[in-house]
Structure formats: structure tokens, C-alpha cells
Amino acid sequence: MFTVIDECYIEVLRLVKQAGSIINEKIYQPKEVVTKSSEIDLVTEWDQKVEKLLINGISSKYPDHKFIGEESTAMGQKVELTNAPTWIIDPIDGTMNFVHGLPHTCISVALLINKTAEIGIVYNPILDQLFTARKGQGAFLNGAPIHVSDKKELRNSLLMLETGTSRDPEQLEAILQNINKLITRVHGIRTLGSAALNICMVALGGADIYFEFGIHAWDFAAGELIVREAGGVSIDPAGGPLDVLSRRALCASSMELAQELSKLITQYYPERD
Ligand code: LIP
């Protein structure tokens, strides 16, 4: 039976591909860059234009749907998650990479209904990596099923983390403490510069665990569905349930791995979205 969510999925995929062609065209061209919350929290006109393309496209078909977008929020729109169908959008996740021309940058789009993720899409148009998930229907890369790894111990795991785009001393201190704690306890540490792509590497089974403090709902709302549909887990870094507005996330191939990490790390609690 063809549902409204099926129709939403097809429509948003069309818009994401359209937006992807813009990112593909602009990544290696000179671009005007401005800063937001810190001198390394960057934004370009293409972040704003891609977000507008997605929101306008969805709104024209679904006028009663709500939005939480990175750039709309930066322009002052209040973050509000209700039971209404809500699209959580990062038009360019990995903006720093996009500015530098490093091809690890993506569009991240999630649809939540009754505060539950129904659709997750993370699309890196530069490397043509389309990660998708629908609630209860599995996770895919370019249409092929993906699954998390079988790792259950940190000492055999590849950890994805970020140094972030904040210069807040307390946040940086927590990041450095955690790198020092973890560097001798894991196989290796990797950082792609995009929360959404880091999480998708866990969903793909190429990495085993990711955590970060200070991200926003738009960075991980799509990825956390994808990793769960790939057989993994998404929790709060302190071990409790994930809260998409908390600005904290931990995604892993197994609950055992997630809980081993959550017991070890220095916690940091940013102001909520
Ligand atoms: C980025 C996240 C990344 C985080 C950066 C930044 P943006 O999102 O994907 O995980 O460490 O601080 O928030 O700003 O490129 O959309």
C-alpha cells in the first residue's frame, strides 16, 4: 500500500538530488564565507540556498509540515519540535569541508512524526554516497543494504569523533580529555568533519562508534535513524535515551560498545537547542 510517507520520501529524494547538484557545482569554486557562533563556525550562501530549496520544495507540497533547519535557526527561527510532521535539515553538513573543497560534505534530512524518525537521508553528492533509511525498513547506501559491524569492545573498534566548531574552553577541554582517555583504548580515531557522515560510517560498518557534544538536531537526526536501521544503537553519551534536542549523541554498532564508552568519557552538557 502506497502511503503519504512513501510519497514524502520520493519527493524529498528528488529535492535532495537537486540540491546535491548545487553542492557538486559550487564546492570547488570560490565562495563568500561568513562566521556564525565562532570564527570557525562557517556559512556560505549555498548553505542558505540549499536549505531554501528543500524547505520551499517540501512546503509547496506539504504546507502543514514544520521545519527545523540549521540556517533558518541561525537567522532567528525558534527550534520547536511538536508531534506535527517536522523536517530536520542540515543543508550542508561539513560546511568547513565544503569551504575548503574537501569532499566529505553532505545534505542531511530527517522527517519526524510524533517526534519519531520516519525518514533519514544523508547524501554526499561529491562522492555519490546516498545513505537512506525508513523506519522499520532497513538502511541503504545507494540502494544496497548496509549493516553495522559486529564490534562489541572498544579495544577492537574504530572511533569517529570531532573537534567541533566551537572555541568554548570547557567544551574543548572535554574533547581533549576524551581524546587522551580514548586514544590508547581503541584501534584508531577518525574524524570526517561531518556528524552525519561519521554516523553513516558506523551504519556502513566501516567504523564502530561515534560520539559528540555540541552538535545540533540537524547534524544527527537523519544519521541516528540510519544507524539504528542498520542494526546499531543511538543513545545519549551518558547512557540514557537519545534526545534529539540535547546537542549530544552517541551512535554505535552495539549497545555493549556504546555503554563501555559512555562509562569512560568526560561528559559535557551544552545548552539545548
Ligand atoms: C558540523 C558537524 C560536526 C561538528 C561541527 C559542525 P556543520 O556541522 O557536522 O560534527 O563537529 O562543529 O557543527 O556546521 O558543518 O553543518
Side-chain angles (χ1 to χ4, degrees), residues 27-28 30 51 53 57 63 67 93 97 134 139 141 158 160 169 201 224 232 247 251 255 258 262 269:
I27 184 167
Y28 300 122
E51 185 166 311
L53 180 154
F67 297 90
D93 188 44
N97 293 347
R134 297 281 306 277
L141 169 58
L158 209 46
M160 309 294 299
M201 293 304 114
E224 78 84 16
R247 301 187 60 201
C251 300
M255 188 55 88
S262 70
Y269 292 88

Side-chain angles (χ1 to χ4, degrees), residues 41 70 90 92-95 162 164-165 193-195 210 212 215 219:
D41 184 11
E70 176 171 12
D90 191 337
I92 302 182
D93 188 44
T95 295
E162 292 293 327
T165 47
S194 157
Y210 155 86
E212 191 167 357
I215 41 175
D219 293 314

Side-chain angles (χ1 to χ4, degrees), residues 144-164:
I146 57 175
H147 200 275
V148 294
S149 74
D150 60 0
K151 296 298 184 299
K152 302 227 182 315
E153 294 177 285
L154 261 184
R155 63 195 177 93
N156 301 322
S157 297
L158 209 46
L159 166 66
M160 309 294 299
L161 59 70
E162 292 293 327
T163 53

Side-chain angles (χ1 to χ4, degrees), residues 39-256:
E39 77 271 17
I40 56 167
D41 184 11
L42 309 180
V43 63
T44 73
E45 63 178 305
W46 305 110
D47 297 74
Q48 293 155 348
K49 287 180 176 166
V50 164
E51 185 166 311
K52 274 203 183 79
L53 180 154
L54 294 167
I55 291 178
N56 293 347
I58 295 167
S59 293
S60 63
K61 207 167 169 111
Y62 307 103
D64 59 336
H65 286 197
K66 308 293 181 200
F67 297 90
I68 297 174
E70 176 171 12
E71 305 316 330
S72 316
T73 304
M75 305 290 275
Q77 184 172 315
K78 189 171 171 302
V79 172
E80 198 182 10
L81 182 60
T82 65
N83 288 335
T86 304
W87 297 88
I88 303 182
I89 297 173
D90 191 337
I92 302 182
D93 188 44
T95 295
M96 179 71 80
N97 293 347
F98 174 70
V99 167
H100 283 265
L102 188 69
H104 298 288
T105 189
C106 65
I107 299 165
S108 177
V109 180
L111 172 62
L112 277 66
I113 301 175
N114 297 323
K115 298 178 183 168
T116 303
E118 292 286 346
I119 294 173
I121 297 170
V122 172
Y123 179 45
N124 178 344
I126 318 299
L127 302 182
D128 196 22
Q129 295 172 326
L130 177 64
F131 294 92
T132 58
R134 297 281 306 277
K135 186 178 77 175
Q137 299 182 29
F140 301 86
L141 169 58
N142 297 341
I146 57 175
H147 200 275
V148 294
S149 74
D150 60 0
K151 296 298 184 299
K152 302 227 182 315
E153 294 177 285
L154 261 184
R155 63 195 177 93
N156 301 322
S157 297
L158 209 46
L159 166 66
M160 309 294 299
L161 59 70
E162 292 293 327
T163 53
T165 47
S166 161
R167 283 286 181 260
D168 173 89
E170 198 194 338
Q171 181 169 343
L172 288 178
E173 178 55 28
I175 291 168
L176 292 171
Q177 278 185 24
N178 285 325
I179 291 172
N180 281 322
K181 277 182 188 174
L182 295 166
I183 196 158
T184 56
R185 288 184 162 91
V186 295
H187 259 183
I189 295 178
R190 300 290 183 270
T191 183
L192 282 180
S194 157
L197 289 175
N198 285 334
I199 299 170
C200 285
M201 293 304 114
V202 177
L204 185 60
D208 310 295
I209 191 160
Y210 155 86
F211 78 102
E212 191 167 357
F213 306 124
I215 41 175
H216 294 273
W218 45 79
D219 293 314
F220 66 96
E224 78 84 16
L225 174 65
I226 292 168
V227 74
R228 284 190 289 114
E229 287 297 328
V233 297
S234 304
I235 64 170
D236 178 83
L242 185 78
D243 169 355
V244 79
L245 297 184
S246 67
R247 301 187 60 201
R248 294 160 46 88
L250 189 166
C251 300
S253 56
S254 67
M255 188 55 88
E256 295 90 330

